[in-house]
Every structure is written in structure tokens, then in C-alpha cells.
Amino acid sequence: MNWETILIVGGGIGGLTAAIAMRRQGFAVDIIERDPDWSVYGVGITQQMNVIRAMNDIGVLDDYLTMATGYDSTTIFVGPEGIEKTKFETPKLAGPNYPSNAGIRRPHLQKVLGDKALSLGTNVRLGLTVTALNDDGAGVDVTFSDGSSARYGAVVGADGVFSQMRETLFPDAPQPRYTGQWVWRYNLPRPADLDGMKVFAGPCNAGLVPMTDELMYIFLVTEEPDGMFLEQEGSAAAMRARASKMPPPQLIPWIAQIKDDSEVVARPLKVVYLQDQDWHKGRVVLLGDAVHTTTPHLAQGAGIAIEDALVLAQEMACSDAPEIAFKAYRDRRLERVDHITLNSIRIGEAQMGIGEPADIETLNAQTIQLMSQPI
Ligand SMILES: Cc1cc2nc3c(=O)[nH]c(=O)nc-3n(C[C@H](O)[C@H](O)[C@H](O)COP(=O)(O)OP(=O)(O)OC[C@H]3O[C@@H](n4cnc5c(N)ncnc54)[C@H](O)[C@@H]3O)c2cc1C
């Protein structure tokens, strides 16, 4: 047995993109997803030019854009007065007829990727995890939580920040650590003049992202004590209170509209990065947050998971030897993953007054330049 059938553990953004890319290369693909409802929370996600190019490469861009809102610029405002500092016009990597970037609701992104993976013949099984895994060098025998089992040519761990596959492969790897910040998000009506992303870089670290014709989302980054627990009841007032600390005038009317507790999505930021070691062991390999979870300060966590998936599928198509393909995959990913993972964390630390200062404009310019290069 070599590559005949691939098991992907995790049906999120990276796992689904990998399934599509691998099916397009001719691999048979099974996905198992732990969540029996395959659900995703309803706030938006920012997707930059490299993601738009990737959506085009895997043949979903037109469907994707029916659910997303494209935009071509990001503007950075500074200080409590919200003074415009820099406007980045970003490249259109999928061609002149497509936008450079997009905002999209996470469930819509999941639907586009899930529908494509299914239409290409991916076998998706919900409510399942791996209970045992035996790699004998020629294939991997996997036992699932429903007692069933199967043999695969390779297994891809795309199971997110708290990856069971990472734990199984590398029990001594670092655990996800809390960075000291939370991100709060809330959907609001989109004003007609919001035709790009707006980032307010301190003292109130926040932003506005267009998501559909009618909706945008506001995000807010705050410093919070480790272990903080947020009740959903009262969360809108909690978000308003935090956003009201020296907000720029452009945000004040929007902050006042944060009223519905059930619409607040707030998460502590956790990071983990297997920077100085292999991303695979034998025939099992990791991608996305399972191997490099960063903070959203450069809005590229999903972007690098999607790129991982494409590069992994390409390398697997080029080689019959898992070790060679998996090493080549990691080698091709390191520069971009290092840049995004480490600099995103660095911006968050600088916001908290820890570590070196981070020049957000320079880092954004470098990110646009690097992520526009071919993968
Ligand atoms: C607050 C916040 C804001 C963000 N904003 C952005 C943004 O604007 N732009 C951007 O590019 N990125 C953003 N990100 C990062 C982005 O969400 C992640 O990088 C991306 O979801 C990673 O994709 P993934 O497929 O690796 O993991 P996930 O999307 O987490 O998917 C993992 C999947 O595996 C499943 N799973 C987990 N364990 C198991 C198991 N044992 N067995 C089977 N299935 C399992 C899960 O249910 C899930 O479906 C943000 C992250 C946070 C926390």
C-alpha cells in the first residue's frame, strides 16, 4: 500500500481544503470530523489575497464569492482620534476580474468547502475521532471511536489547536499557551461606504470588516487575565465596556449597537507552533492550526492552513515516498509560516507592552509582499 486512500482527521478549513486538493490530484479521501453537527460559529473571517488565489486554484472561487464580499484595500487608523495612517491597495492574485481580499461568514466558508469536497467524492464521517493508530511503515491502521477500523496510505492531522493527532505523534510537543489577549467579534449592519477593511491600531485595537452586502463584523482585541470565564449573559455589555476605552470616533456609533448577548463571540487567543521539528512522523502528517496556531493579528491563520493543504497535496502527488513528500511540504511552508506565526504573536505582545515594539504598517506591508508570492 502506498497512497491509495488518505484519512484526514478534522473537517475544518484546512482539512476540507486538503480533501479538495487531494481529490483533484486523484487521491481517495476519507474525512472524520468530531462534531456530529459539523457546526461553525456565525461570525466572519478575513481572507486575504493568497486565500482568494487558493480558492481559485481549487475551483471554488465563483461559489465562494456568491457568499462573500470582496474588497481591495486595508486602511490603518491610529490613535484615539482615529487618524488615517496608511491605505494598502492589495494585489488581485486571482486575476483582474476578482477582488483582492474578502470577508465571509465562517459557516458560508465551511459550506463552500464542504460542498466541493463532497461533490468530488470525499467520504465524510461525522461524530468520529481516532482511538488507535498503528503505522507499520507500509500503511496506517486506524481504529475509530465507533469501533470501526480501516487502513490508509497516510493520515493527515487537521484537527486544530487542541490537536489529538499532534498529541499522539509528539506527546512532548509544547501545549497551546494563552497569549494574554481575547478577541471579541460582533456582526453589525454594513454601511454603504465600507468598501474595505479598516484597522484601528491602538489604543482601542479594533477593526471593521465587510462580510456580506448587508453585514460587516467588528473585532476588538483586549488584554485579559489568564483563566477568565465569560458568561454569554452580559457579554454585550462586557464587549461595549472594553470597546469604550478610548475608541476612535469612527467606532463609537457601532459600539453602541453591540446589544445582543447571543451575538457576541469572544475567544481567548492560544498559540502553539512546532517550529524546530518535523511536522510528520512516518505516514502521519500535521497541517494548519494542529502544527502552527497563531493569533489573528495578521488575519492569516486560516490562510496558512489553506496554503498548507495545497502544498501538501502537490508534494504527495509528486512522490511515492511519504517521508520525502512530507519533508518537502514542511520545507516549502517554513518561511511563510514563520513570518505569519511569529509576527502575529509579536504584534499582540507589543499591544500588551511585552517584547519588542512591532511596526504594524511595516509588518502588514511585508505580509502582503510575502503572501503574494507563489506558494
Ligand atoms: C478569534 C480568532 C479570529 C480569527 N480570525 C481569522 C481571520 O480573520 N483570518 C484568518 O485567516 N484566520 C483567522 N483565525 C484563525 C483561523 O480560525 C484558524 O487558523 C483556522 O480555523 C485553522 O484551520 P484548521 O482547519 O487548521 O483548524 P480548525 O478550523 O479549528 O478545524 C479543526 C477541525 O477539526 C475538528 N476536530 C478537532 N479535534 C478532532 C478530533 N480529535 N477528531 C476529529 N475531528 C476533530 C474540529 O471540530 C474542527 O472541525 C482566527 C482565529 C481566532 C481564534
Side-chain angles (χ1 to χ4, degrees), residues 10 13-14 33-34 45-46 106 129 158-159 164 185 289 301-303:
I13 298 169
E33 164 57 46
R34 180 178 55 186
I45 185 164
T46 305
R106 283 177 182 258
T129 58
D159 50 348
Q164 180 199 1
R185 286 157 294 172
D289 275 12

Side-chain angles (χ1 to χ4, degrees), residues 9-16 32-35 38-39 41 44-48 51 106 110 128-130 158-165 182-185 217 267-270 287-290 292-296 298-305:
V9 181
I13 298 169
L16 287 172
I32 59 159
E33 164 57 46
R34 180 178 55 186
D35 179 356
W38 212 3
S39 57
Y41 54 90
I45 185 164
T46 305
Q47 306 226 274
Q48 299 183 52
V51 174
R106 283 177 182 258
Q110 170 101 346
L128 279 192
T129 58
V130 170
D159 50 348
V161 54
F162 300 108
S163 169
Q164 180 199 1
M165 288 295 103
W182 280 52
V183 169
W184 307 65
R185 286 157 294 172
Y217 72 93
R267 295 275 185 278
L269 297 183
K270 305 240 170 156
L287 66 72
D289 275 12
H292 48 67
T293 309
T294 190
T295 67
L298 289 169
Q300 276 283 356
I304 52 176

Side-chain angles (χ1 to χ4, degrees), residues 339-361:
H339 174 86
I340 297 298
T341 305
L342 303 177
N343 286 315
S344 299
I345 295 169
R346 190 174 146 206
I347 294 171
E349 288 177 347
Q351 288 172 343
M352 293 184 286
I354 315 169
E356 293 171 30
D359 177 350
I360 182 175
E361 286 171 70

